[in-house]
Amino acid sequence: MTEQEKRLFQSLCSFQSKSFDRELLTAASPTVLGQLFFNRMQAVAYGTLAKNELLSAMNREFRNSLKAAYALNIEKNQSFFGCVRYLGKLLSGLGLNYAMLKGAYLCKLYPDGYRTSNDIDLLVAPENVTKIGKALVNAGFQQGYVRNEEFYPASRRQIIESKMMRGETVPYIKEMDLPQMKFLEVDLNFSLDYKPNDGHAVGELLKNTEVKEIDGYKVCTLNDEDFLVHLCCHLYKEATTLPWVEMKRDMTLYKYCDIYLLLNHADKQKTDRFFDRARVLGLEKICAFAVRGTAELFEFNNAHAVHTADDILRDRPAFLHTVVSPKDKKTYEYSVSDIKERLFSENRVDLLKEVKTP
C-alpha cells in the first residue's frame, strides 16, 4: 500500500476523529477497500464517510460495497441481540456467576452496525465450565465447528486439547436459522491467555460483574475497568501466539478498534483506574501492549494512556515485538518494529526471527 492509502485507511477507521482530510479520498483504491473488509472495518468506514458527508464524493463501487456491508451488519446484529437475550435467560436459572464478553456488549455500545460478532464469549470460573456446558447441551447445543454453513461435531480429542491448550472450550453451537445468523456459537473462556491456569485472575474479574443496559438492551458483563483489561488480554493472546499469526488473524483491526472505542476519549482519572486495575491483576504489561498498538493504528487522542504504557514498557522494549509458539515452546521476535507496517504486511510470519534462549 502507498502511504496515502494507509493514511486513508487509518482515517476511515478512526471514526471518533472530529475532522477528515477530503484530499485522502483520491487514494480510495481496491486495496484500501479490501483491507477494510479483511479487518472487519467496512461498516465503520461507511459511518465515517456518512458522518463527514463524503459518501457522494466516493467512487460508486467503493461506496456501494461499504453501504451493502453496513446494511448486512444492521440485520445481523438484530439477530445477534436476540441470541444474547436468549442465552442470558438460559443462564439466569443456574445461579452461577459469569460475564458476557466482547461483542455481546460492544455491538450495542458502538454506533449501529459498526461492529458485529460471530459468537458469544462467556467468562466463567474453571469449576463451573462443566455445569454450564451441560446446561447448554440440555438446551440443544452441541460442541463442534461451523464450516461453510455446515455443523461438524468435535471429536473427544479436540474437546480435550482445547481445554488443555487454549484455556477455552470447543464452541457450543445451536442452529437458530436467523437472518444473517444461522448458528449461535457460545465459547466458554476460563483463562485469560492460551493456556489454562488456576483461575485466580478469572475469579478476580468475576467478582465485579454487573448488568449494563443500553436502550433497554441488558447484558451481564464486567465492570468498565475489568472489561477493558479483558479486551487487552484477548488482543494480546491472539497478537502474540504463533498459530494466530499463521492464520493471519493476529492483528485484525476490529480488536484494536474496541480499545480505541473505550479509551480514546477517556479522561486521566478513568485511564488511571484502568491501569491501576491492570497492575492489581499483574496484567499491566499486557494492557500497555494493547494501548501502544492501538495508538499506532488509529488517530488516538489519549496521550496520558500512551505515556503510561510507555512507562510500563520502558525496560521491556521487546515485549511489543515478541511472539510465542506454545506447541514447541519457541520464542520469536519481529524484525520490523513499526506496528503499522506489520499490519499491512502480506505475511507477518516472514517477519519473525527465532530468539535463541541459553
Side-chain angles (χ1 to χ4, degrees):
M1 294 180 73
T2 67
E3 287 305 313
Q4 189 84 338
E5 287 174 327
K6 292 176 183 178
R7 287 180 58 204
L8 173 61
F9 176 83
Q10 185 178 57
S11 294
L12 288 172
C13 295
S14 300
F15 67 93
Q16 293 182 333
S17 293
K18 294 181 179 179
S19 62
F20 190 97
D21 183 359
R22 187 187 180 98
E23 294 298 317
L24 292 175
L25 297 183
T26 59
S29 66
T31 300
V32 174
L33 184 63
Q35 286 286 354
L36 290 170
F37 276 83
F38 191 79
N39 285 279
R40 289 174 57 179
M41 299 297 292
Q42 64 271 32
V44 171
Y46 179 81
T48 299
L49 291 169
K51 181 183 73 172
N52 289 281
E53 300 182 347
L54 292 172
L55 286 171
S56 61
M58 295 298 296
N59 168 275
R60 185 184 66 177
E61 303 309 325
F62 197 110
R63 177 182 66 244
N64 287 346
S65 296
L66 298 182
K67 181 179 179 180
Y70 173 75
L72 287 177
N73 279 9
I74 294 288
E75 185 177 28
K76 182 176 182 177
N77 274 349
Q78 293 307 309
S79 297
F80 180 71
F81 296 148
C83 287
V84 171
R85 295 186 181 97
Y86 164 76
L87 184 62
K89 186 175 181 180
L90 190 158
L91 296 172
S92 64
L94 299 181
L96 300 176
N97 204 11
Y98 71 90
M100 292 190 185
L101 305 169
K102 297 160 43 187
Y105 173 54
L106 290 171
C107 288
K108 197 69 174 180
L109 189 64
Y110 274 94
D112 288 346
Y114 276 29
R115 194 193 195 280
T116 61
S117 181
N118 297 316
D119 53 28
I120 300 175
D121 287 275
L122 296 181
L123 186 67
V124 301
E127 62 269 21
N128 291 333
V129 170
T130 299
K131 187 171 182 179
I132 293 176
K134 286 182 178 179
L136 292 172
V137 170
N138 290 337
F141 287 81
Q142 299 180 71
Q143 283 189 275
Y145 303 94
V146 175
R147 299 186 180 97
N148 299 320
E149 290 296 292
E150 295 293 333
F151 172 77
Y152 294 88
S155 66
R156 179 170 176 80
R157 178 179 178 179
Q158 288 173 318
I159 291 172
I160 293 172
E161 284 183 349
S162 185
K163 280 189 174 183
M164 296 298 292
M165 299 298 294
R166 299 180 62 186
E168 63 185 30
T169 63
V170 168
Y172 288 83
I173 294 172
K174 182 176 181 178
E175 185 167 353
M176 306 296 284
D177 202 24
L178 295 169
Q180 306 302 323
M181 197 168 184
K182 182 178 180 180
F183 295 97
L184 168 59
E185 178 179 322
V186 178
D187 294 328
L188 305 186
N189 297 263
F190 52 91
S191 176
L192 299 184
D193 56 21
Y194 61 82
K195 55 186 179 295
N197 52 42
D198 61 7
H200 173 72
V202 171
E204 286 299 307
L205 293 181
L206 289 174
K207 289 179 181 177
N208 298 304
T209 59
E210 59 184 52
V211 176
K212 294 185 180 292
E213 182 173 354
I214 305 172
D215 298 330
Y217 173 81
K218 297 180 180 180
V219 57
C220 181
T221 188
L222 303 172
N223 69 16
D224 289 348
E225 291 77 30
D226 287 357
F227 189 90
L228 185 51
V229 167
H230 175 268
L231 278 179
C232 292
C233 289
H234 186 79
L235 183 155
Y236 175 79
K237 176 180 74 171
E238 297 184 353
T240 63
T241 308
L242 184 61
W244 289 90
V245 182
E246 292 172 332
M247 292 186 290
K248 299 186 178 182
R249 295 174 59 192
D250 54 313
M251 288 186 71
T252 316
L253 195 64
Y254 79 93
K255 304 168 192 174
Y256 292 88
C257 193
D258 292 342
I259 311 298
Y260 167 75
L261 169 73
L262 297 175
L263 203 55
N264 184 48
H265 289 318
D267 60 22
K268 183 177 184 298
Q269 290 72 27
K270 185 174 182 178
T271 301
D272 285 341
R273 287 198 302 270
F274 157 61
F275 278 111
D276 288 345
R277 181 58 171 160
R279 289 188 183 94
V280 168
L281 295 168
L283 300 169
E284 66 272 23
K285 290 193 296 295
I286 286 174
C287 290
F289 174 98
V291 170
R292 206 65 193 79
T294 302
E296 292 293 325
L297 298 173
F298 287 85
E299 297 169 3
F300 194 68
N301 294 320
N302 192 336
H304 180 60
V306 176
H307 293 155
T308 304
D310 285 343
D311 285 342
I312 292 170
L313 298 176
R314 190 172 305 281
D315 299 324
R316 295 285 302 276
F319 195 78
L320 289 171
H321 315 299
T322 301
V323 171
V324 297
S325 174
K327 185 177 181 180
D328 52 21
K329 295 181 171 53
K330 292 183 178 180
T331 301
Y332 300 85
E333 190 169 312
Y334 278 109
S335 58
V336 173
S337 60
D338 188 310
I339 295 172
K340 189 184 298 184
E341 185 176 343
R342 293 207 300 252
L343 175 71
F344 295 115
S345 171
E346 290 292 326
N347 187 359
R348 283 183 286 276
V349 173
D350 290 343
L351 305 179
L352 292 173
K353 306 296 180 184
E354 185 178 350
V355 177
K356 300 293 184 180
T357 55

